[in-house]
Each structure stands twice: as structure tokens, then as C-alpha cells.
Amino acid sequence: MLIDRCVIEVRSGKGGDGCISFLRDKNTAKGGPDGGNGGRGGSIYFLGKANLNNLYNFRHSRTFIAQDGEKGMKTMRYGHNAEDITIEVPVGTIVTEESTGRVLADIKEEGQKVLVAKGGRGGRGNACFKSSRHRIPRIAENGHPGEKKRLILELKLLADAGLIGFPSVGKSTFLNVVSKANVPTADYPFTTLVPNLGVCYLKDGRSFVLADMPGLIKGAHEGKGLGIQFLRHIERTRILIHLVSMSGERDPYQDYLAINEELKAYDAFLEQRPQIVVASMMDMEGAEDLKKKFDKKLGFESIALSSLTHEGVDKLLKKAIELIEATPEFPIKGVNETTKMKVYDAREIEGKSDYQILRGENGWIIKGEKVERDAALINTTTDEGIVRLIRYLDNIGIEERLQEVGAQDGDKVQIGDFVFDYTT
Ligand SMILES: Nc1nc2c(ncn2[C@@H]2O[C@H](COP(=O)(O)OP(=O)(O)OP(=O)(O)O)[C@@H](O)[C@H]2O)c(=O)[nH]1
Ligand SMILES: [Mg+2]
């Protein structure tokens, strides 16, 4: 059974809490704060694997939980970061967040690694916060929470062309003739139950990937026959090769219309995909006559094919590759919008223009009239005051800005007389 869609849950780890501690030994009676930072919680990644071709591995294990980061310790010792989890998925997998419908990843290549749930940052220990007016802070941050997401994984095969048509029109036989696929064929309907891929090589050395699909019938979108669920595998193909049988058992033109209706019913604009219409089984008796009538109704000439005599095979392959090369990649619903579009938030821009982050001698300095004024109003001689100031800085997006200017883990950041450590 082909598993090409499943829902899983991922949970990244929480960051370890920061530590509150003070240096105490026989030489230092009243030492400064020395509580270390908590470690980062484990993140969850997806990794593209070309040797996988289904989502079978997710049949049983459907929840992936990364560990939490370790707590910070005294004498400035950091808690350990938790291990990340890397989940291997077949190339062609699209990952969508169930609650928002947002596409988080479109895995198209072997080795492509995408972060889907970020581990929480470790909390800062009290050694991170120092103000000239308050040298012994008794505060530490808690670790930031991890993320919990339900993800829909969908495998959409990566093929250049898709073979469509009624059952028993010779789709799989054609794939076998033009590639080394060697998939089973038989004279009963629904021989092919799952899509098959084959690489077709032309005599001139060019090649393309062809997907052989299970047969469709009228009413497939209502669940008749095998239904239309496999059509997701041709959503990525540039062109469709539509086989219509001239064996005389059925009315070719009615079949042709019925398949196009099913494509339309599947909501992914498949009916707009360039199509090569092929009259198959041309070695059968009476096929010539049927084809003539069929072409007349079509209003153009279909390509004659017999997988038995190999009539038309080269012509069809040539036409297919030319059309593939001339057709741009078709956007998959949801994927392009999220990967190409950046949404600008007015508040974000406003907050950003308010201040600058300058490189100082011992780290970074936040400069800006309003920000400095706001910060000065907060009394950092108390622990509560420091908490408020940190929260204020969080709200104006300091973390992101520090990341943008290239601040490194552990760098000192100063605003007014307050100094804190930047942690990534
Ligand atoms: N005479 C003749 N028979 C063919 C030709 N192509 C396929 N056949 C036969 O037609 C039958 C059906 O072929 P398949 O390739 O299994 O058809 P399919 O379209 O893949 O069918 P499903 O997988 O059921 O959708 C098989 O018995 C093939 O041997 C052809 O060009 N000429
Ligand atoms: Mg088949």
C-alpha cells in the first residue's frame, strides 16, 4: 500500500532555565552573580532522501519529541543543548502546518534540510545581567518554550510528464517500452494501483521522468474506481500525456472528455496543463478509422501509438521533451506564495527605525533617542526592573536586530548603564 499522505506531530524542546547563583568561596565572601545559561532545546528538521519513495515509515511513529535543554549551573556553567531530531523524508515531500495551512517545506533535493520546529532558547542565568547600580541580580530567565505543530506530509512525485487515461489503455505498457520500469501490465482494469516512475531516454541522449498513473474513470472525483487521490503525483509535472484507446471497445472521444472532466474536478488546475493527446493501440483492427473520427471531433491530430509495433514511440518522445522544455514549472498550490512572498508588518518597520545597534569596544551598544529614554525610565536597581527592561527590549525586537547585525552568542549588549549578554 502506498502511503503518500500522513499527519504527524512534532515538538521541539524547551530551553533550559537560567541559573541564579553567586560566587562563594573562601577567598570571595561576597562574589558577583555566576549563574550560567540554560541550554537550547532540541530542534526538529526534515531531510530529503532520494532513496525513499513513500511515507511508509510514518505509519506507526507519528509523534517526534525533541528533548529539553539542560538547566544552567553555578560558576557560569552552561546547560547542555539538547540533540536535534532529523526526520528523513522522500524527495518530493511537501510539509504543511495543519492549523494554518502554511507550507513550511517543499523538499525537492537529496540532502535538503529544513527546520520545522525550533528548539526554545536557553534562559539567561543571573551572570548575564549587570547594571552599575544593581550588581547582584537575583533573577534569571526561564528557558523559552519549544514549538508544537501538527504537520501534513504529502508526497508529490517529481516527474516531468504524467501518463493519464482510462484503465487498460496501455499506459504502463508504454512506460515499459520507453524506460526500464518493468511494471506489471494486464488486460484487466486497475492493474496499476500506485504511480510508477521511469526515466525515458531519447536517442539523442536527452531524458525525462515519466509518471505512470493508475487509470481514471468517469466519476473518479466521487470515489469511483480508484478515485482521484493519486492525481497529487502529477501536480508537479510540466505536461500530461493523455492516452485514448483505439481498440474499439469504447468511444474514444467520450473517454477523452470524461478524463478532462476528472482533471477539472481535482482542484489544482491540472486541466490547464499542456496535454499531448495520443491515440493508443493503433495496431488493433479498425483503429485507423476510429482515429480519423476521433481527430475530427478533437479538431486536431492526435499522435498515433502502438506499444506493440513501436509505431509512433519516437515521435511521441520527441514531442514530449520539446513540450517539457518549452513549459515552465507549474506552481503548486500554496508553495510559491509562501516561499516567495514576504509580508511586511508596519509595526516592525516603525520599531526598527527607532534605534540603531552600533559596535562598541566591548560588544554592542543600542542607540536611539526614544529607546534610551524609555530604558532610562525603568529602574534597573531592582530585579523586577531588570525583568521589565528585558521584556521591553524583547518587544522592540532587539533579538532579531542583534542577529541581523551579526551578534554572536555571549556578546555583551549595552543600553544606558545596563549590560546583558546576547544569547542565540
Ligand atoms: N495490441 C496492443 N495491446 C496493448 C498495447 N499497449 C498495451 N496493450 C495491452 O493492453 C493491456 C492493458 O495494458 P496496460 O499497460 O496494463 O494498461 P494501463 O493503461 O496501464 O491500465 P491500468 O493500469 O489498469 O490503468 C495489456 O494486456 C497490454 O498488453 C498496444 O499498443 N497494442
Ligand atoms: Mg497501468
Side-chain angles (χ1 to χ4, degrees):
M1 178 184 174
L2 178 82
I3 296 187
D4 56 6
R5 186 180 190 281
C6 64
V7 179
I8 66 166
E9 187 173 308
V10 293
R11 280 182 240 164
S12 56
K14 171 185 170 298
D17 294 339
C19 169
I20 301 174
S21 159
F22 296 93
L23 184 63
R24 291 270 182 277
D25 61 35
K26 53 182 188 286
N27 303 322
T28 348
K30 261 193 183 167
D34 75 346
N37 299 349
R40 171 177 289 287
S43 296
I44 301 195
Y45 293 89
F46 279 121
L47 179 68
K49 279 282 171 194
N51 61 353
L52 298 175
N53 61 10
N54 63 63
L55 300 170
Y56 199 72
N57 292 347
F58 300 97
R59 223 167 17 127
H60 299 304
S61 51
R62 289 172 173 251
T63 308
F64 296 83
I65 304 172
Q67 297 290 309
D68 295 339
E70 200 188 6
K71 286 186 173 150
M73 288 159 282
K74 57 187 182 178
T75 60
M76 305 275 271
R77 275 176 305 151
Y78 280 28
H80 284 297
N81 292 341
E83 292 228 355
D84 295 332
I85 292 181
T86 301
I87 305 171
E88 295 187 348
V89 291
V91 167
T93 304
I94 292 183
V95 184
T96 312
E97 187 175 19
E98 194 182 52
S99 60
T100 59
R102 213 158 55 94
V103 174
L104 301 184
D106 178 17
I107 310 276
K108 284 173 135 175
E109 284 167 32
E110 161 84 21
Q112 188 183 340
K113 197 170 176 182
V114 180
L115 175 71
V116 289
K118 195 172 181 188
R121 204 193 69 191
R124 280 175 280 216
N126 68 338
C128 283
F129 307 111
K130 275 175 211 153
S131 131
S132 55
R133 288 176 288 159
H134 184 43
R135 294 185 177 276
I136 44 167
R138 281 170 202 286
I139 52 149
E141 281 177 321
N142 286 333
H144 289 205
E147 296 179 296
K148 182 174 162 183
K149 289 177 183 166
R150 277 172 67 80
L151 304 176
I152 303 166
L153 308 189
E154 277 179 300
L155 180 58
K156 298 188 183 193
L157 292 173
L158 290 160
D160 302 303
L163 269 174
I164 52 165
F166 262 75
S168 300
V169 296
K171 299 181 295 297
S172 303
T173 309
F174 173 68
L175 181 77
N176 286 344
V177 166
V178 295
S179 76
K180 294 196 173 100
N182 203 15
V183 304
T185 59
D187 60 0
Y188 55 83
F190 307 118
T191 308
T192 306
L193 297 173
V194 298
N196 299 294
L197 289 185
V199 185
C200 310
Y201 290 97
L202 277 76
K203 287 187 176 127
D204 61 11
R206 287 183 291 178
S207 66
F208 66 93
V209 178
L210 181 61
D212 166 35
M213 301 292 291
L216 289 170
I217 56 172
K218 194 172 160 105
H221 69 280
E222 295 161 338
K224 299 229 172 88
L226 294 173
I228 52 171
Q229 77 271 23
F230 297 110
L231 288 181
R232 77 164 59 102
H233 294 292
I234 50 171
E235 278 183 50
R236 292 189 196 262
T237 62
R238 287 175 200 244
I239 67 161
L240 300 176
I241 299 177
H242 187 161
L243 261 59
V244 184
S245 169
M246 299 298 140
S247 66
E249 284 162 28
R250 313 174 46 87
D251 182 315
Y253 190 64
Q254 288 308 318
D255 279 5
Y256 167 79
L257 294 179
I259 294 292
N260 284 337
E261 280 305 310
E262 296 306 320
L263 293 184
K264 218 182 260 177
Y266 183 81
D267 181 29
F269 306 109
L270 285 180
E271 75 280 5
Q272 293 171 13
R273 203 81 29 126
Q275 238 185 52
I276 300 177
V277 182
V278 177
S280 70
M281 309 242 188
M282 283 305 290
D283 54 278
M284 303 277 279
E285 220 185 293
E288 290 289 344
D289 276 352
L290 270 177
K291 183 179 181 304
K292 267 190 205 130
K293 287 184 196 141
F294 178 55
D295 285 355
K296 207 166 161 204
K297 287 187 187 157
L298 279 179
F300 58 89
E301 207 176 316
S302 57
I303 293 192
L305 171 76
S306 164
S307 295
L308 200 74
T309 65
H310 290 196
E311 174 201 348
V313 169
D314 288 342
K315 187 174 167 192
L316 175 52
L317 289 184
K318 195 161 165 284
K319 175 131 191 173
I321 200 133
E322 277 165 7
L323 196 55
I324 288 167
E325 285 173 355
T327 308
E329 208 176 315
F330 220 81
I332 291 193
K333 229 177 155 184
V335 171
N336 268 35
E337 294 128 57
T338 48
T339 45
K340 286 203 182 132
M341 215 163 72
K342 169 148 174 56
V343 181
Y344 289 95
D345 185 326
R347 282 168 309 173
E348 199 179 300
I349 295 168
E350 215 172 274
K352 277 187 174 182
S353 55
D354 267 345
Y355 58 89
Q356 282 181 298
I357 296 180
L358 307 174
R359 193 187 279 277
E361 241 172 79
N362 301 312
W364 305 92
I365 301 167
I366 302 170
K367 282 272 170 211
E369 205 181 312
K370 181 173 184 305
V371 178
E372 285 183 78
R373 204 174 51 228
D374 286 350
L377 288 175
I378 299 174
N379 177 358
T380 52
T381 62
T382 66
D383 291 345
E384 295 71 36
I386 291 183
V387 173
R388 271 184 55 207
L389 181 55
I390 290 290
R391 205 170 294 150
Y392 169 79
L393 295 175
D394 270 356
N395 282 342
I396 61 169
I398 277 290
E399 300 271 330
E400 265 177 38
R401 292 284 302 276
L402 281 165
Q403 195 182 343
E404 278 169 23
V405 297
Q408 301 288 314
D409 199 31
D411 281 359
K412 301 279 176 220
V413 185
Q414 188 178 349
I415 177 161
D417 78 333
F418 180 68
V419 181
F420 65 98
D421 289 9
Y422 171 70
T423 54
T424 52

